[in-house]
Tab-separated table of all heavy atoms in Angstrom:
chain	number	residue	atom	x	y	z
A	290	ALA	N	27.264	69.855	49.985
A	290	ALA	CA	26.560	68.743	50.624
A	290	ALA	C	25.483	69.262	51.570
A	290	ALA	O	25.654	70.302	52.210
A	290	ALA	CB	27.550	67.869	51.389
A	291	CYS	N	24.364	68.512	51.653
A	291	CYS	CA	23.221	68.987	52.439
A	291	CYS	C	23.315	68.604	53.915
A	291	CYS	O	22.690	69.221	54.767
A	291	CYS	CB	21.918	68.439	51.851
A	291	CYS	SG	21.594	66.699	52.251
A	292	GLY	N	24.082	67.531	54.208
A	292	GLY	CA	24.224	67.106	55.599
A	292	GLY	C	23.099	66.208	56.106
A	292	GLY	O	23.182	65.686	57.217
A	293	GLN	N	22.062	66.016	55.289
A	293	GLN	CA	20.873	65.300	55.766
A	293	GLN	C	20.599	63.986	55.037
A	293	GLN	O	19.992	63.083	55.590
A	293	GLN	CB	19.627	66.182	55.566
A	293	GLN	CG	19.663	67.503	56.305
A	293	GLN	CD	19.579	67.316	57.809
A	293	GLN	OE1	18.871	66.460	58.292
A	293	GLN	NE2	20.327	68.135	58.539
A	294	CYS	N	21.012	63.878	53.795
A	294	CYS	CA	20.588	62.732	52.970
A	294	CYS	C	21.351	61.460	53.363
A	294	CYS	O	22.280	61.492	54.167
A	294	CYS	CB	20.806	63.053	51.488
A	294	CYS	SG	22.531	63.057	50.989
A	297	CYS	N	25.236	61.889	52.799
A	297	CYS	CA	25.886	62.745	53.798
A	297	CYS	C	25.961	62.025	55.145
A	297	CYS	O	26.969	62.077	55.846
A	297	CYS	CB	25.136	64.067	53.945
A	297	CYS	SG	25.346	65.151	52.511
A	305	CYS	N	26.341	63.570	47.714
A	305	CYS	CA	25.088	64.110	48.252
A	305	CYS	C	23.977	64.113	47.193
A	305	CYS	O	24.193	64.480	46.043
A	305	CYS	CB	25.323	65.531	48.771
A	305	CYS	SG	23.793	66.327	49.328
A	306	ASP	N	22.807	63.724	47.648
A	306	ASP	CA	21.657	63.582	46.750
A	306	ASP	C	20.881	64.879	46.526
A	306	ASP	O	20.008	64.927	45.665
A	306	ASP	CB	20.680	62.575	47.383
A	306	ASP	CG	20.487	61.355	46.498
A	306	ASP	OD1	20.938	61.389	45.340
A	306	ASP	OD2	19.872	60.388	46.983
A	307	ASN	N	21.164	65.908	47.318
A	307	ASN	CA	20.264	67.072	47.332
A	307	ASN	C	20.863	68.375	46.817
A	307	ASN	O	20.259	69.421	46.984
A	307	ASN	CB	19.774	67.322	48.769
A	307	ASN	CG	18.781	66.260	49.197
A	307	ASN	OD1	18.036	65.746	48.373
A	307	ASN	ND2	18.795	65.931	50.480
B	1340	ZN	ZN1	23.312	65.241	51.313
Side-chain angles (χ1 to χ4, degrees):
C291 77
Q293 300 292 322
C294 72
C297 289
C305 175
D306 242 349
N307 288 328

